[in-house]
Amino acid sequence: MLDLFADAEPWQEPLAPGAAILRRFALSRAAALLEAIDDVAAASPFRHMVTPGGYTMSVAMTNCGQLGWATNARGYLYASVDPMTGTPWPPMPDVFQTLCRDASAAAGYADFRPDACLVNRYAPGAKLSLHQDKDEPDLRAPIVSVSLGLPAVFQFGGLHRNDPLKRLMLEHGDVVVWGGESRLFYHGIQPLKPGVHPQTGEYRYNLTFRQASYSE
């Protein structure tokens, strides 16, 4: 798929109360972000996590930051140690922190300082079912989500799973920020269509920044 707006200046699209898409916001930093993803994955490799119900997720994941999102037989949790390696998750790269700070401020959340970043890798057919990000103890902080590589259809609904969905194409360099009234809105990614991106090959990567510990 050709990106007809690759040379356009970044622009912002309202999504819902407290939510916006920052089109192409990360485009100029994409190469540095992808290099940093490689560094993170070298320390904590991508893996397909298994949900408490025994379902193997189609998306490959890893984490960086003080805390990382993981699963076990009892549920979902944030942990300071990678259960695969037995060592702390890699530190959050500076390029990640800077982008997140700039994007959250552009969307109206100037004080957001994430302590966790979930890194997702989508191969063709991989998807993320509708869900809420509700494992964080302090829901005052927003979510910042960065798309890199192949385009994907992002679904964004409401507070209930059966609320009407918006379906929007997210492309390389797009950033979605949601918080406030939209913080617990259901969202997901439809199955990734096959393709080849010049920087990521057959993959799509997503960075999801969160505040996973409670902050006064």
Side-chain angles (χ1 to χ4, degrees), residues 41-52:
S44 283
F46 283 102
R47 78 292 307 262
H48 293 272
M49 295 187 183
V50 179
T51 69

Side-chain angles (χ1 to χ4, degrees), residues 133-152:
D133 289 340
K134 59 181 182 180
D135 298 320
E136 301 76 34
D138 187 350
L139 298 178
R140 296 173 298 178
I143 302 292
V144 174
S145 177
V146 183
S147 294
L148 298 166
L150 289 178

Side-chain angles (χ1 to χ4, degrees), residues 19-132:
I21 303 177
L22 312 180
R23 295 290 187 184
R24 311 303 185 266
F25 193 90
L27 194 59
S28 65
R29 315 182 212 195
L33 292 169
L34 290 167
E35 183 177 345
I37 289 173
D38 287 342
D39 292 341
V40 168
S44 283
F46 283 102
R47 78 292 307 262
H48 293 272
M49 295 187 183
V50 179
T51 69
Y55 170 74
T56 300
M57 300 180 70
S58 62
V59 177
M61 299 181 177
T62 186
N63 293 274
C64 62
Q66 297 174 19
L67 295 169
W69 187 85
T71 67
N72 62 24
R74 294 184 299 275
Y76 306 105
L77 71 155
Y78 284 99
S80 59
V81 172
D82 180 349
M84 175 182 284
T85 66
T87 60
W89 297 105
M92 195 180 301
D94 288 342
V95 65
F96 283 19
Q97 296 184 52
T98 301
L99 172 64
C100 182
R101 182 175 62 246
D102 292 347
S104 57
Y109 300 97
D111 297 325
F112 180 44
R113 297 294 181 269
D115 54 13
C117 178
L118 176 59
V119 186
N120 292 339
R121 185 183 68 194
Y122 293 77
K127 65 179 182 179
L128 203 58
S129 299
L130 280 179
H131 66 283
Q132 296 170 297

